[in-house]
Amino acid sequence: MTNEELRESLLMSPKNGYAVLTDAQRAEMEDYCKRYMTFMDLCKTEREATAWAVATAEANGFKALTPGMELKAGDKVYYDNRGKSILLAVIGSEPLSEGANICAAHVDSPRLDVKPNPLYEDGEIAYLKTHYYGGIKKYQWPTIPLAIHGVICRKDGSSVTVTIGEDDTDPVLMVSDLLPHLAADQMKKTLAEGIVGEQLNVIMGTAPLTGEGTDLVKLNIMKLLNEKYGIIESDFLSAELCIVPAGKCREVGLDRSLIGAYGHDDRVCAFAEIEPLLTMDTPTHTAVCILADKEEIGSVGISGMKSKVFEYFMEILCDSQNVKLSQCFANSFCLSADVSNAYDPNFPEVHDRRNNSILNYGVAICKYTGSRGKGGASDASAEAMSHVRTTLENAGVLWQIATLGKVDQGGGGTVAAYMADRNIVTVDAGVPVLSMHAPIELVSKLDCYMTMLACKAIYLA
Ligand code: MN
Ligand code: MN
């Protein structure tokens, strides 16, 4: 054998996905990404993603799951978890004692949440006070157009949905930053300290009501909110208002190979796992799709992945077949579908080039996340990695390996550990992202498409 032949047979030679994509796949990829971009324009919060998923699932023949429901192979059900997260299933031909194939993504993203008592006036400018949600770089949030998305429950118990800043005729909101001329002290601070949490106050307006009185700018804003939404100031106490980047998702690059949007993490995996489920024929194993909330703050709370709502949902499915939940879990597999950090040539010092995911190389399989000696990681076993590897290769899905940066550079986690805690074999996989957790994140269309194909293959495994 020549060295070249040896190299070919023994060594890996990863290829850019565009080198192997067929014309038909390329057309399918473009169509898929168009649908994904429409979804992203409609869904910027977990509430909006859940509402979209309920409506879309119903349109595709899914029924709301209720305890005691009779279920047979091919039935499609969903559980709307209080409007904040959703679980869906297509019942398989094999009993649930054989386990389910689960894909779990999250639909919350880092943002600014409005405080319970937010509205005030200072220097004749009306503001909303915020508390950031999830891991953000605070300096990235001033001077960009912002929108409000959320819900307000009024004193009388009725509620109203609020969206300001997305319609072309809407005003947008903004946080101000210091002019460079007067930023001598600010510029000496670290990036973490240059803008602090209590400076992320959102400008609501500057025009006072005419006449006598104090805080007339604030009063005018409250009047406008009252006219439009029928709310009074105390209604902020029972509200969930999220400040997110305003505007639609865009193609990025002259070749249009990238998509720029707020909140790819992790709606890019959420869409990848729900789309193939919607139109699925009866799978062998029951296919379960989870769109969870609160991942960005530790998967806590009633809508997070640590919540027993998952057991509640799965138990109803198992009860319909007289199967023990623990047996179902023991035989199940979960793809924890979450994004990875794409290699960024602008910051080579934080990556291990040989083990990092790269744009356009396909869905990124992540053996472990965590930090400092794999702390907090759900470290997938060789056997679990083998299951994913063979499943994806048999289905012709382009995949690559991923780790979260250099050893001891930082780290992070996903819902994987909480699924593994339940005695479910779990592997992390998802779309590589540039500028993760920034107001606008970047993903490649090819990786989005491959991640959807990966979820489909896992459901059908
Ligand atoms: Mn994520
Ligand atoms: Mn995240």
Side-chain angles (χ1 to χ4, degrees):
M1 259 196 190
T2 66
N3 285 351
E4 256 332 287
E5 285 165 342
L6 263 182
R7 181 185 304 280
E8 192 116 315
S9 63
L10 296 182
L11 299 187
M12 295 197 290
S13 56
K15 284 187 185 61
N16 187 300
Y18 278 96
V20 291
L21 208 62
T22 64
D23 287 349
Q25 283 180 311
R26 199 159 172 162
E28 230 180 79
M29 171 186 93
E30 292 292 345
D31 285 349
Y32 171 75
C33 288
K34 273 201 190 84
R35 297 193 295 276
Y36 171 57
M37 290 173 75
T38 305
F39 162 78
M40 288 299 273
D41 289 342
L42 295 170
C43 303
K44 290 194 174 181
T45 64
E46 67 279 357
R47 270 180 195 278
E48 290 165 351
T50 300
W52 177 91
V54 169
T56 310
E58 284 188 347
N60 282 277
F62 282 70
K63 300 263 179 295
L65 183 70
T66 51
M69 201 168 175
E70 261 183 55
L71 294 168
K72 56 178 193 314
D75 280 357
K76 299 168 162 193
V77 290
Y78 73 88
Y79 180 72
D80 174 358
N81 182 16
R82 303 159 173 93
K84 298 275 284 180
S85 71
I86 182 168
L87 304 100
L88 309 99
V90 180
I91 308 300
S93 53
E94 291 286 320
L96 277 154
S97 50
E98 300 296 310
N101 283 325
I102 305 162
C103 290
H106 65 94
V107 282
D108 60 315
S109 299
R111 62 189 182 226
L112 308 179
D113 278 347
V114 173
K115 286 192 183 190
N117 185 16
L119 186 61
Y120 71 102
E121 176 175 335
D122 194 358
E124 296 178 59
I125 300 175
Y127 292 97
L128 283 185
K129 289 210 72 70
T130 66
H131 190 148
Y132 65 98
Y133 171 93
I136 64 164
K137 290 163 110 176
K138 299 177 194 92
Y139 72 85
Q140 292 177 331
W141 288 74
T143 72
I144 60 168
L146 298 169
I148 301 184
H149 291 235
V151 64
I152 302 175
C153 295
R154 304 185 194 95
K155 202 176 175 180
D156 66 4
S158 63
S159 65
V160 59
T161 301
V162 175
T163 315
I164 306 169
E166 299 295 354
D167 194 277
D168 286 344
T169 60
D170 275 359
V172 294
L173 306 168
M174 207 167 279
V175 174
S176 64
D177 194 2
L178 202 51
L179 61 169
H181 317 65
L182 297 179
D185 290 341
Q186 183 196 38
M187 296 298 272
K188 287 185 201 130
K189 294 180 182 172
T190 64
L191 284 178
E193 294 160 343
I195 294 288
V196 298
E198 291 292 351
Q199 286 172 326
L200 294 175
N201 301 313
V202 178
I203 295 173
M204 291 295 280
T206 62
L209 286 173
T210 51
E212 290 304 303
T214 55
D215 282 355
L216 291 174
V217 179
K218 169 182 170 175
L219 190 58
N220 190 27
I221 294 299
M222 202 59 241
K223 182 167 171 277
L224 290 169
L225 287 169
N226 179 266
E227 284 163 6
K228 183 150 187 207
Y229 299 109
I231 62 162
I232 57 176
E233 188 179 20
S234 67
D235 292 336
F236 280 119
L237 300 172
S238 50
E240 267 180 44
L241 296 171
C242 309
I243 308 286
V244 298
K248 289 188 184 343
C249 144
R250 301 289 297 265
E251 291 179 311
V252 174
L254 297 189
D255 56 10
R256 300 173 185 266
S257 60
L258 303 174
I259 303 172
Y262 163 68
H264 284 308
D265 177 8
D266 185 30
R267 286 188 282 279
V268 69
C269 295
F271 190 74
E273 52 169 59
I274 194 171
E275 200 187 70
L277 189 89
L278 290 169
T279 53
M280 184 181 289
D281 292 332
T282 307
T284 308
H285 293 97
T286 294
V288 175
C289 168
I290 307 170
L291 309 189
D293 181 26
K294 295 286 179 278
E295 193 279 340
E296 295 295 355
I297 61 167
S299 295
V300 289
I302 198 165
S303 50
M305 205 58 245
K306 287 181 187 167
S307 161
K308 293 282 186 293
V309 74
F310 178 59
E311 276 74 8
Y312 178 73
F313 177 80
M314 292 302 293
E315 203 156 58
I316 297 176
L317 301 186
C318 286
D319 282 351
S320 76
Q321 302 180 359
N322 287 316
V323 166
K324 268 195 168 164
L325 182 65
S326 57
Q327 192 186 355
C328 173
F329 279 3
N331 291 323
S332 290
F333 175 81
C334 176
L335 195 78
S336 164
D338 206 343
V339 297
S340 68
N341 66 306
Y343 176 76
D344 188 338
N346 264 345
F347 304 95
E349 63 281 5
V350 304
H351 308 91
D352 167 9
R353 185 75 172 78
R354 291 181 183 81
N355 285 281
N356 211 97
S357 62
I358 307 167
L359 291 178
N360 293 322
Y361 276 66
V363 57
I365 312 297
C366 193
K367 187 177 186 299
Y368 52 86
T369 57
S371 53
R372 291 170 299 281
K374 301 189 175 181
S378 166
D379 196 353
S381 70
E383 292 82 354
M385 292 296 285
S386 169
H387 170 64
V388 174
R389 176 184 178 183
T390 51
T391 301
L392 299 193
E393 278 174 10
N394 290 340
V397 181
L398 295 181
W399 69 278
Q400 58 179 324
I401 202 72
T403 58
L404 187 45
K406 271 190 177 161
V407 174
D408 288 339
Q409 183 64 46
T414 64
V415 302
Y418 314 119
M419 300 307 286
D421 279 349
R422 293 170 157 119
N423 195 26
I424 297 172
V425 174
T426 303
V427 176
D428 275 299
V431 177
V433 177
L434 279 183
S435 314
M436 194 196 293
H437 283 207
I440 305 292
E441 303 172 314
L442 295 175
V443 294
S444 101
K445 288 179 177 176
L446 188 142
D447 300 331
C448 294
Y449 174 60
M450 287 299 159
T451 301
M452 181 275 286
L453 293 181
C455 293
K456 192 173 177 177
I458 290 296
Y459 287 136
L460 299 177

